[in-house]
Amino acid sequence: MAAHLSYGRVNLNVLREAVRRELREFLDKCAGSKAIVWDEYLTGPFGLIAQYSLLKEHEVEKMFTLKGNRLPAADVKNIIFFVRPRLELMDIIAENVLSEDRRGPTRDFHILFVPRRSLLCEQRLKDLGVLGSFIHREEYSLDLIPFDGDLLSMESEGAFKECYLEGDQTSLYHAAKGLMTLQALYGTIPQIFGKGECARQVANMMIRMKREFTGSQNSIFPVFDNLLLLDRNVDLLTPLATQLTYEGLIDEIYGIQNSYVKLPPEKFAPKKQGDGGKDLPTEAKKLQLNSAEELYAEIRDKNFNAVGSVLSKKAKIISAAFEERHNAKTVGEIKQFVSQLPHMQAARGSLANRTSIAELIKDVTTSEDFFDKLTVEQEFMSGIDTDKVNNYIEDCIAQKHSLIKVLRLVCLQSVCNSGLKQKVLDYYKREILQTYGYEHILTLHNLEKAGLLKPQTGGRNNYPTIRKTLRLWMDDVNEQNPTDISYVYSGYAPLSVRLAQLLSRPGWRSIEEVLRILPGPHFEERQPLPTGLQKKRQPGENRVTLIFFLGGVTFAEIAALRFLSQLEDGGTEYVIATTKLMNGTSWIEALMEKPF
Amino acid sequence: MNRTKGDEEEYWNSSKFKAFTFDDEDDELSQLKESKRAVNSLRDFVDDDDDDDLERVSWSGEPVGSRTRPGSFQSLSDALSDTPAKSYAPELGRPKGEYRDYSNDWSPSDTVRRLRKGKVLIFLKRTLSKEILFRELEVRQVALRHLIHFLKEIGDQKLLLDLFRFLDRTEELALSHYREHLNIQDPDKRKEFLKTCVGLPFSAEDSAHIQDHYTLLERQIIIEANDRHLESAGQTEIFRKHPRKASILNMPLVTTLFYSCFYHYTEAEGTFSSPVNLKKTFKIPDKQYVLTALAARAKLRAWNDVDALFTTKNWLGYTKKRAPIGFHRVVEILHKNNAPVQILQEYVNLVEDVDTKLNLATKFKCHDVVIDTYRDLKDRQQLLAYRSKVDKGSAEEEKIDALLSSSQIRWKN
């Protein structure tokens, strides 16, 4: 059981159980022994919903990855394909079905589309002559997946590009569907706030879906007070800056996928006496990262500079606990010590892991280049020298640092300047194309379309106004004992979170002017509740706001929201949802054009 | 025929054809008797010429008598699901104003999903109807987006480009066409393809880049063929000493320049592989050129060439060292390539900013430079401190001692 999902203000295990139940029902429909053929992309997200043990309970005996040619031999009655509705996958499935060995025992085929069926895909299967071979063809609406007690994600990689570059609202539709599912389980959300075009679309869809759904009135007592929908393009700045929380840095350096991170194994080899280091593991060390682990929950959202002291304090406590064994004199005391041993050993193991990770991160953050990069980022964010070609960026290009690193910096400069002067932009573009290849014209074009790297379009630079009005740059930031969300970037307060903070108190009316500068409409909608279900809040009880980032969210923003949630007089606790957990690197990577 | 908005409303309200809109609930739809009488056209549309056999129906389900245009939308029934399919063929002969727009908050997949429920399926014919299709779509932004998404998904590049061309979305057209080159592996074919991209309606800046891309690949093919030949012949020293690790094809411009400075440095401007030729053809700025040439020659430990890069004779015939990139960069690159201390020292000396100079000199152990600088700064304390950093009994230590005991220097501390 994913116990950690229940610890938050909203019990997300309810969602998880509902989703698991649907899966169980489908598996039981295909009665008998079965093998699942997986679209690799789905295995990660599914792992958060159901472990192999659950599948085994429903007679899943084998699991394979979707590949071309013939399916591996397996003595099962059913073969079930778990796939996204993508045409290229249909081709592979058809290949599998057609090369099925007729001489062997017949196996029944089924297909489960995640999260929706697709006419195009079924048409393709028909064209390839295999559609009739499937007995059960269904969809599994896995939209929002719970990642932690206060975090949900659709893990839709293409959402930002589709929504903001191609005008394709598929992900928005899925987001709306996901929200309807949440409302079915947790009650209608009485108030919806939003900023951005996509936010408006999602709200519209929700309202329409609710109307169509007139049948059963929702009789569940509402858990959420508000829903805040935010377009990613309202705040293009935040993901570009380097995150400085513990979890944020792990994601920046190593990349966190579905709550797992793969780390270089050397630091995690068990220290054995006289080993000579010949048995060093070569496979990457895989660690799970969620609030189920106490120590991780404690340090994940802290600024990295504050982590060291926490870890060393912890080390002292654990050492002291182990030293207790010397004090245990009576049998009873010894027994008690021994019974606590597993917990202490787990704590020590956890501490060792976290410390090793911290050491790995420190190697990066203490490097000269990291410092130089951070300096430039902070200069841009505080509005310094954003209108000319930057020396550090030039040097990075000259030394052929990673293209994405360069693009992040150049885009950051552009966003902090509301677009670059044509001369500066052309200069950067030429340097980049000559150094990394002309084919990147396509990527640069995408970045322009997304608003990340564009020429100044007459008008003035709006960023300083936004920065000053919303107090985005805080000079005196306390990393150890923060008093403001700007600690997550050691000085810069994420614009998106600031907007949420101001919505809660004193409300958006106080920042009307700034809101009008930011792209997209802002709005408020109410969804009527039957009188018996009106939420009556106790004095001192916090509101619960579900904040949905349309286009992606970073761990630093999540940390900032958690910080707000546990403020004494904050007034609001947040549950965070998004189309994708991302960072500046994965974000830009999704915008690069690649061969088909 | 151009109907005004008022006429449109009137048409819908008075027409005997029952209107079909996507806003309708499922229940309402199934009650529309006329809809139920809609004809199923099951034909897969394969043969472009078989216009005559198309059975086209109006919204009400009655077959249409007159044909106003050859070819039209052909509907394909939803033979996929078990429920009986309902098909509708929008009569495109009608003027634009008569069609309701699709609901604005629909995604392409959403449309497709509703299609599954048997409402409408549109299948495209690839001939004259293109014009009709495009013209209709021009005023329907949402449907247009759906179509573009649909075409991208099924990979119909040709129709997509036709669409862009029609819509005058010329830059998108150009980029969409250019994008295809990523899928062409064969260098000659790719070169030919790039040629077709030159002259497409890119922005002025991008046009220049596309032209450069083509020219570069053209050159690279020639250089690659030539060098491969030289390498296998085994007579050229540079290729024997430093065998090539990869082909130069499809490498970026700067990489190509590096390669050229490495393997073809001394060649005259006339050859395609000479660095000077590359510089001229692609208008590579001095800064970039010097940096790249420096990196290449330093890698080969050709210190004389490095020297020559920075030496210019002024009009009086005196030589002077100058660099368009700042000598601290030069020093870094030299150090990266393990240049001997004497060489490093020479260039550290040329760094103008004193602090940077000291920094680099200390970092790279250019003792003489440090000593001389502290001497010039008349900083006794620092010089004394530095003494502990040099080897015991070395020439440097002696030099420091000599300076410290010199009576001619007026130390400031």
Side-chain angles (χ1 to χ4, degrees), chain B residues 323-337:
Chain B
I325 57 174
F327 280 107
H328 64 282
R329 289 299 320 277
V330 179
V331 170
E332 272 159 24
I333 296 176
L334 288 173
H335 179 258
K336 220 162 83 166
N337 286 287

PDB file of all heavy atoms in Angstrom, chain B residues 323-337:
ATOM      1  N   ALA B 323      45.302  39.745 -29.899  1.00  0.00           N
ATOM      2  CA  ALA B 323      44.318  38.657 -29.990  1.00  0.00           C
ATOM      3  C   ALA B 323      42.919  39.218 -29.931  1.00  0.00           C
ATOM      4  O   ALA B 323      42.637  40.077 -29.105  1.00  0.00           O
ATOM      5  CB  ALA B 323      44.521  37.664 -28.853  1.00  0.00           C
ATOM      6  N   PRO B 324      42.043  38.791 -30.820  1.00  0.00           N
ATOM      7  CA  PRO B 324      40.643  39.262 -30.740  1.00  0.00           C
ATOM      8  C   PRO B 324      39.858  38.587 -29.635  1.00  0.00           C
ATOM      9  O   PRO B 324      38.666  38.800 -29.507  1.00  0.00           O
ATOM     10  CB  PRO B 324      40.080  38.886 -32.116  1.00  0.00           C
ATOM     11  CG  PRO B 324      40.879  37.721 -32.551  1.00  0.00           C
ATOM     12  CD  PRO B 324      42.236  37.827 -31.921  1.00  0.00           C
ATOM     13  N   ILE B 325      40.507  37.743 -28.843  1.00  0.00           N
ATOM     14  CA  ILE B 325      39.713  37.008 -27.861  1.00  0.00           C
ATOM     15  C   ILE B 325      40.177  37.180 -26.429  1.00  0.00           C
ATOM     16  O   ILE B 325      39.634  36.603 -25.538  1.00  0.00           O
ATOM     17  CB  ILE B 325      39.709  35.496 -28.167  1.00  0.00           C
ATOM     18  CG1 ILE B 325      41.124  34.947 -28.206  1.00  0.00           C
ATOM     19  CG2 ILE B 325      38.997  35.211 -29.466  1.00  0.00           C
ATOM     20  CD1 ILE B 325      41.180  33.455 -28.364  1.00  0.00           C
ATOM     21  N   GLY B 326      41.181  37.950 -26.172  1.00  0.00           N
ATOM     22  CA  GLY B 326      41.629  38.043 -24.781  1.00  0.00           C
ATOM     23  C   GLY B 326      42.608  36.937 -24.465  1.00  0.00           C
ATOM     24  O   GLY B 326      42.287  35.762 -24.616  1.00  0.00           O
ATOM     25  N   PHE B 327      43.793  37.306 -24.008  1.00  0.00           N
ATOM     26  CA  PHE B 327      44.840  36.301 -23.861  1.00  0.00           C
ATOM     27  C   PHE B 327      44.560  35.293 -22.759  1.00  0.00           C
ATOM     28  O   PHE B 327      45.122  34.200 -22.754  1.00  0.00           O
ATOM     29  CB  PHE B 327      46.208  36.965 -23.671  1.00  0.00           C
ATOM     30  CG  PHE B 327      46.808  37.432 -24.968  1.00  0.00           C
ATOM     31  CD1 PHE B 327      46.863  38.767 -25.298  1.00  0.00           C
ATOM     32  CD2 PHE B 327      47.299  36.505 -25.880  1.00  0.00           C
ATOM     33  CE1 PHE B 327      47.403  39.194 -26.517  1.00  0.00           C
ATOM     34  CE2 PHE B 327      47.842  36.912 -27.091  1.00  0.00           C
ATOM     35  CZ  PHE B 327      47.886  38.266 -27.414  1.00  0.00           C
ATOM     36  N   HIS B 328      43.678  35.641 -21.834  1.00  0.00           N
ATOM     37  CA  HIS B 328      43.374  34.646 -20.797  1.00  0.00           C
ATOM     38  C   HIS B 328      42.717  33.415 -21.404  1.00  0.00           C
ATOM     39  O   HIS B 328      42.924  32.294 -20.956  1.00  0.00           O
ATOM     40  CB  HIS B 328      42.489  35.256 -19.705  1.00  0.00           C
ATOM     41  CG  HIS B 328      41.138  35.667 -20.199  1.00  0.00           C
ATOM     42  ND1 HIS B 328      40.926  36.821 -20.911  1.00  0.00           N
ATOM     43  CD2 HIS B 328      39.940  35.061 -20.090  1.00  0.00           C
ATOM     44  CE1 HIS B 328      39.650  36.913 -21.218  1.00  0.00           C
ATOM     45  NE2 HIS B 328      39.024  35.862 -20.725  1.00  0.00           N
ATOM     46  N   ARG B 329      41.926  33.636 -22.469  1.00  0.00           N
ATOM     47  CA  ARG B 329      41.321  32.479 -23.144  1.00  0.00           C
ATOM     48  C   ARG B 329      42.401  31.658 -23.831  1.00  0.00           C
ATOM     49  O   ARG B 329      42.365  30.433 -23.834  1.00  0.00           O
ATOM     50  CB  ARG B 329      40.312  32.945 -24.210  1.00  0.00           C
ATOM     51  CG  ARG B 329      39.031  33.540 -23.691  1.00  0.00           C
ATOM     52  CD  ARG B 329      38.233  32.573 -22.852  1.00  0.00           C
ATOM     53  NE  ARG B 329      38.226  31.208 -23.358  1.00  0.00           N
ATOM     54  CZ  ARG B 329      37.423  30.760 -24.292  1.00  0.00           C
ATOM     55  NH1 ARG B 329      36.552  31.555 -24.856  1.00  0.00           N
ATOM     56  NH2 ARG B 329      37.485  29.502 -24.670  1.00  0.00           N
ATOM     57  N   VAL B 330      43.348  32.389 -24.432  1.00  0.00           N
ATOM     58  CA  VAL B 330      44.436  31.687 -25.118  1.00  0.00           C
ATOM     59  C   VAL B 330      45.170  30.785 -24.137  1.00  0.00           C
ATOM     60  O   VAL B 330      45.443  29.617 -24.402  1.00  0.00           O
ATOM     61  CB  VAL B 330      45.425  32.704 -25.740  1.00  0.00           C
ATOM     62  CG1 VAL B 330      46.562  31.971 -26.422  1.00  0.00           C
ATOM     63  CG2 VAL B 330      44.712  33.614 -26.717  1.00  0.00           C
ATOM     64  N   VAL B 331      45.447  31.363 -22.969  1.00  0.00           N
ATOM     65  CA  VAL B 331      46.177  30.601 -21.953  1.00  0.00           C
ATOM     66  C   VAL B 331      45.405  29.353 -21.554  1.00  0.00           C
ATOM     67  O   VAL B 331      45.965  28.260 -21.443  1.00  0.00           O
ATOM     68  CB  VAL B 331      46.434  31.493 -20.715  1.00  0.00           C
ATOM     69  CG1 VAL B 331      46.966  30.669 -19.569  1.00  0.00           C
ATOM     70  CG2 VAL B 331      47.402  32.608 -21.059  1.00  0.00           C
ATOM     71  N   GLU B 332      44.091  29.516 -21.360  1.00  0.00           N
ATOM     72  CA  GLU B 332      43.281  28.367 -20.948  1.00  0.00           C
ATOM     73  C   GLU B 332      43.335  27.250 -21.967  1.00  0.00           C
ATOM     74  O   GLU B 332      43.461  26.073 -21.628  1.00  0.00           O
ATOM     75  CB  GLU B 332      41.833  28.801 -20.729  1.00  0.00           C
ATOM     76  CG  GLU B 332      41.579  29.300 -19.314  1.00  0.00           C
ATOM     77  CD  GLU B 332      40.342  30.174 -19.235  1.00  0.00           C
ATOM     78  OE1 GLU B 332      39.453  30.025 -20.117  1.00  0.00           O
ATOM     79  OE2 GLU B 332      40.273  30.995 -18.320  1.00  0.00           O
ATOM     80  N   ILE B 333      43.216  27.641 -23.230  1.00  0.00           N
ATOM     81  CA  ILE B 333      43.224  26.623 -24.286  1.00  0.00           C
ATOM     82  C   ILE B 333      44.585  25.953 -24.366  1.00  0.00           C
ATOM     83  O   ILE B 333      44.691  24.734 -24.533  1.00  0.00           O
ATOM     84  CB  ILE B 333      42.832  27.245 -25.636  1.00  0.00           C
ATOM     85  CG1 ILE B 333      41.385  27.744 -25.554  1.00  0.00           C
ATOM     86  CG2 ILE B 333      43.001  26.247 -26.766  1.00  0.00           C
ATOM     87  CD1 ILE B 333      40.930  28.454 -26.799  1.00  0.00           C
ATOM     88  N   LEU B 334      45.639  26.749 -24.227  1.00  0.00           N
ATOM     89  CA  LEU B 334      46.980  26.166 -24.270  1.00  0.00           C
ATOM     90  C   LEU B 334      47.162  25.186 -23.117  1.00  0.00           C
ATOM     91  O   LEU B 334      47.716  24.097 -23.285  1.00  0.00           O
ATOM     92  CB  LEU B 334      48.033  27.270 -24.192  1.00  0.00           C
ATOM     93  CG  LEU B 334      48.163  28.134 -25.455  1.00  0.00           C
ATOM     94  CD1 LEU B 334      49.105  29.299 -25.197  1.00  0.00           C
ATOM     95  CD2 LEU B 334      48.680  27.298 -26.616  1.00  0.00           C
ATOM     96  N   HIS B 335      46.664  25.581 -21.965  1.00  0.00           N
ATOM     97  CA  HIS B 335      46.820  24.712 -20.802  1.00  0.00           C
ATOM     98  C   HIS B 335      46.058  23.408 -20.986  1.00  0.00           C
ATOM     99  O   HIS B 335      46.546  22.329 -20.632  1.00  0.00           O
ATOM    100  CB  HIS B 335      46.330  25.440 -19.552  1.00  0.00           C
ATOM    101  CG  HIS B 335      46.437  24.600 -18.316  1.00  0.00           C
ATOM    102  ND1 HIS B 335      45.366  23.958 -17.749  1.00  0.00           N
ATOM    103  CD2 HIS B 335      47.507  24.250 -17.574  1.00  0.00           C
ATOM    104  CE1 HIS B 335      45.764  23.277 -16.694  1.00  0.00           C
ATOM    105  NE2 HIS B 335      47.058  23.436 -16.561  1.00  0.00           N
ATOM    106  N   LYS B 336      44.883  23.541 -21.562  1.00  0.00           N
ATOM    107  CA  LYS B 336      44.064  22.347 -21.791  1.00  0.00           C
ATOM    108  C   LYS B 336      44.792  21.350 -22.685  1.00  0.00           C
ATOM    109  O   LYS B 336      44.585  20.141 -22.601  1.00  0.00           O
ATOM    110  CB  LYS B 336      42.745  22.761 -22.451  1.00  0.00           C
ATOM    111  CG  LYS B 336      41.539  21.993 -21.911  1.00  0.00           C
ATOM    112  CD  LYS B 336      40.242  22.670 -22.230  1.00  0.00           C
ATOM    113  CE  LYS B 336      39.782  22.308 -23.627  1.00  0.00           C
ATOM    114  NZ  LYS B 336      38.386  22.668 -23.876  1.00  0.00           N
ATOM    115  N   ASN B 337      45.641  21.885 -23.566  1.00  0.00           N
ATOM    116  CA  ASN B 337      46.370  21.013 -24.473  1.00  0.00           C
ATOM    117  C   ASN B 337      47.777  20.726 -23.988  1.00  0.00           C
ATOM    118  O   ASN B 337      48.659  20.366 -24.778  1.00  0.00           O
ATOM    119  CB  ASN B 337      46.402  21.645 -25.874  1.00  0.00           C
ATOM    120  CG  ASN B 337      45.056  21.527 -26.553  1.00  0.00           C
ATOM    121  OD1 ASN B 337      44.674  20.452 -26.977  1.00  0.00           O
ATOM    122  ND2 ASN B 337      44.342  22.629 -26.648  1.00  0.00           N
TER     123      ASN B 337
END
